[in-house]
Amino acid sequence: MTEFHVRRARTSDVPKIIELVEPLVQRRILLGKERVDLYGAVQEFRVAETDDGRLVGAGALHVMWEDLGEVRTLAVDDAWLGHGVGHALLAALEEEARELGLTRLFCLTFETGFFGRHGFVDMGSETVDPSVYAELVRSNDEGVAEFLDLARVKQNTLGNTRMLKLL
């Protein structure tokens, strides 16, 4: 296999991110995102690219609160699983989270083994202070709803595990 590097995503990467994520959406591992939403969030994404320009992984960091971020849409091309792509993407997202001043990272995932090996733990029923909850619950962001374990997202996330990592 050729080498890869992680870099900030560009708008020209969005069609490639869609191609990478779509098989995982079809297998019901990831929730699909509209193209317009991916363009609107492109600055949150990092991509793993081979030396010959092929996109083999992508992931996003979404800020949810002053100390809390969410790892979103972490995807690796099937042919590149087990070659460190997911690890490199997650490391880049964690580095960015620290630079932003975040101290906690959340993810909603079926891949509990992968995230567990990287220091994430099952949140169980952990929540936030009531005053923060009152602010967060006003958000229309589905990631915030997932973090708070709100009933309105249950149908989309049934079976996923809410995991958290302290940075």
Side-chain angles (χ1 to χ4, degrees), residues 20-34:
L20 182 68
V21 169
E22 189 56 31
L24 299 172
V25 171
Q26 294 303 315
R27 293 193 323 243
R28 302 179 61 84
I29 294 170
L30 289 177
L31 292 176
K33 292 196 173 25
E34 297 295 331

Side-chain angles (χ1 to χ4, degrees), residues 43-95:
Q43 71 279 2
E44 297 180 351
F45 276 84
R46 299 296 171 269
V47 295
E49 181 180 53
T50 62
D51 291 341
D52 61 1
R54 183 170 167 232
L55 197 78
V56 296
L61 172 67
H62 180 74
V63 175
M64 296 172 69
W65 195 249
E66 66 182 321
D67 66 335
L68 177 66
E70 180 184 8
V71 174
R72 291 184 172 178
T73 319
L74 186 60
V76 175
D77 184 297
D78 283 345
W80 282 80
L81 290 173
H83 293 279
V85 175
H87 173 78
L89 284 164
L90 186 56
L93 297 173
E94 287 183 13
E95 180 181 333

Side-chain angles (χ1 to χ4, degrees), residues 3 9 15 17 22 48-49 53 56 61 65 76 78 80 89 95 100 107 109 117 124 131 140 145 147 155 163:
E3 295 295 315
I17 292 170
E22 189 56 31
E49 181 180 53
V56 296
L61 172 67
W65 195 249
V76 175
D78 283 345
W80 282 80
L89 284 164
E95 180 181 333
L100 289 168
C107 70
T109 186
R117 287 190 302 276
S131 61
N140 292 322
F147 175 74
Q155 64 187 11
M163 299 185 82

Side-chain angles (χ1 to χ4, degrees), residues 113-134:
F114 171 81
F115 282 98
R117 287 190 302 276
H118 290 88
F120 285 77
V121 295
D122 188 330
M123 285 179 59
S125 61
E126 179 179 324
T127 96
V128 295
D129 294 338
S131 61
V132 173
Y133 184 94

